[in-house]
Amino acid sequence: MGRKIGLSDLGSVRPIFGMGDERDNPLLEPAPVEPTREQVILRRRLTLAAAAVMILVTGLVVTYATVGFAGDLVGDALYAVLIFLIVSFIFVRMNSWRVAVIAILICTGIELFQLTGLPVEIAAVFPPARFVLGTAFDPVDLVAYIIGVLVAAGVTTWRRLD
C-alpha cells in the first residue's frame, strides 16, 4: 500500500493523515488496557505460589545445611513466612496485616500443640509430619514466627502498598 504525499501548510513534504502515518495522531493511540479483577487475583496467586515454593526450598536447605541456634531461628522464621504465604494465597484479597495475625495464630497454635505430645506420635507414624507439626515446644520458636511473619507482611505491604 503506497502512501500519498502532500504539501503541508509550511511547505514541507509529509504523508497526508489517514494514509499510513497514523502515529502522529494521539487519538489513534491504543488506550492502556486495565487487567480484570480475576487477572489480578490470578497473577497474585501465581506470585504467592512461586514465592512459597522458593521459601520451602530455602527452608529445607537451611534445615539440612545449618546447625545450632541461628539455623533453628532462620528455619522457624522461614516456616512462618511459608504459613503467611499460604494464608495469603487462600485469602488473596485480604490486607497483609490481617493475614499476618492469622499466620501468627496458626504458628502459635501449632507450637502449643507440641505441648500435648501428639505431634511426636504422629511423626512416628508419618515422618514428614514433623516438618509441619514439629516435635518439641520451644518458646524461642514463637519469637522466630513473629519475626518471620512481620517481615513477610512488611514486604508484601511495601510491594503492594496496602
Side-chain angles (χ1 to χ4, degrees), residues 56 60 64 79 119-120 122-135:
L56 179 63
L60 290 172
Y64 288 112
Y79 172 80
V120 174
I122 294 170
V125 175
F126 185 65
R130 76 178 183 90
F131 290 115
V132 177
L133 300 176
T135 54

Side-chain angles (χ1 to χ4, degrees), residues 1 16-29:
M1 175 163 120
I16 297 174
F17 175 75
M19 301 309 271
D21 198 16
E22 289 83 12
R23 60 196 143 126
D24 289 341
N25 188 348
L27 296 175
L28 296 177
E29 292 179 10

Side-chain angles (χ1 to χ4, degrees), residues 4-133:
K4 291 188 179 180
I5 304 295
L7 205 55
S8 72
D9 294 337
L10 301 175
S12 65
V13 177
R14 61 180 285 189
I16 297 174
F17 175 75
M19 301 309 271
D21 198 16
E22 289 83 12
R23 60 196 143 126
D24 289 341
N25 188 348
L27 296 175
L28 296 177
E29 292 179 10
V33 178
E34 293 290 324
T36 64
R37 173 178 272 170
E38 291 79 19
Q39 290 171 330
V40 170
I41 289 173
L42 178 63
R43 186 179 314 131
R44 177 151 167 77
R45 281 200 167 132
L46 289 173
T47 302
L48 290 167
V53 168
M54 290 188 321
I55 293 295
L56 179 63
V57 169
T58 304
L60 290 172
V61 168
V62 166
T63 298
Y64 288 112
T66 62
V67 291
F69 180 73
D72 290 342
L73 195 64
V74 171
D76 290 336
L78 289 172
Y79 172 80
V81 171
L82 181 62
I83 297 295
F84 176 87
L85 292 171
I86 291 170
V87 173
S88 292
F89 185 88
I90 295 168
F91 301 108
V92 71
R93 292 187 289 170
M94 187 178 284
N95 179 293
S96 295
W97 296 105
R98 289 182 182 171
V99 170
V101 169
I102 294 170
I104 289 172
L105 290 173
I106 290 170
C107 291
T108 302
I110 290 172
E111 191 67 26
L112 293 175
F113 183 59
Q114 293 170 1
L115 291 171
T116 66
L118 288 175
V120 174
E121 294 176 20
I122 294 170
V125 175
F126 185 65
R130 76 178 183 90
F131 290 115
V132 177
L133 300 176

